[in-house]
Amino acid sequence: MLQKSYHTKTSDLISQFVQERTESGFSAMELLAFLSERGESVNKTTVYRNLDKLVESGRLIKRKSAVSDGFVYQTAEKDGQCYGHIHFQCEKCGAMIHLSDRLTADYLKSVSENFGFKVDFSLSSLNGLCEKCRTFE
């Protein structure tokens, strides 16, 4: 039996939050703060449960944060190709950039062939400072 999907004010706000962050990663705590600022009293368990559902549906990608012990969530590409390339994560602002260009793809293919690796793109990212954060150094 299919589980019904309920639209609540909280789920609508979570959708809004995710849509506003297509160019950056975010943490569960950032989402919790966003909900709190809008008058929604939601516990952490509810936030994590909603995030897990979005990951399971393929709408979000969950990966280890480069800046904390937690996880960062990122909007997956609409065409479902997000799992076929690596990402860059800014260590300062959390921006997540899709590295799906031909040069990066060719490099990863070369590394895989030369060393016999099979890269798990869902766990792989390059970390550093994005262009915006580098200008403020």
Side-chain angles (χ1 to χ4, degrees):
M1 179 178 214
L2 291 174
Q3 186 178 17
K4 285 187 176 182
S5 176
Y6 295 100
H7 286 283
T8 63
K9 183 178 178 186
T10 300
S11 65
D12 289 343
L13 284 170
I14 290 172
S15 289
Q16 175 189 343
F17 179 85
V18 169
Q19 289 172 359
E20 291 174 359
R21 281 153 185 82
T22 58
E23 297 301 318
S24 66
F26 61 89
S27 70
M29 292 302 107
E30 289 172 309
L31 174 54
L32 196 57
F34 173 85
L35 294 170
S36 179
E37 290 166 4
R38 278 144 186 84
E40 285 295 296
S41 178
V42 181
N43 65 42
K44 284 191 240 183
T45 303
T46 301
V47 168
Y48 282 110
R49 186 173 50 248
N50 277 279
L51 289 171
D52 287 343
K53 286 179 184 178
L54 292 170
V55 170
E56 288 171 16
S57 73
R59 193 165 164 208
L60 292 180
I61 296 172
K62 176 182 176 181
R63 63 180 75 240
K64 181 77 179 94
S65 173
V67 296
S68 72
D69 288 336
F71 291 94
V72 65
Y73 297 87
Q74 170 192 356
T75 304
E77 289 183 344
K78 290 182 182 169
D79 60 7
Q81 299 301 313
C82 216
Y83 295 96
H85 59 262
I86 63 173
H87 298 83
F88 174 85
Q89 182 180 3
C90 180
E91 295 173 349
K92 189 171 186 178
C93 71
M96 297 292 286
I97 300 165
H98 301 273
L99 299 178
S100 55
D101 61 282
R102 175 61 28 212
L103 185 61
T104 303
D106 289 346
Y107 172 74
L108 291 172
K109 182 180 178 188
S110 172
V111 167
S112 295
E113 290 173 356
N114 288 331
F115 294 98
F117 295 156
K118 180 173 181 339
V119 178
D120 183 346
F121 296 111
S122 68
L123 298 174
S124 303
S125 66
L126 296 174
N127 304 314
L129 295 176
C130 69
E131 184 176 12
K132 182 179 87 178
C133 290
R134 283 184 51 219
T135 61
F136 294 115
E137 275 194 312

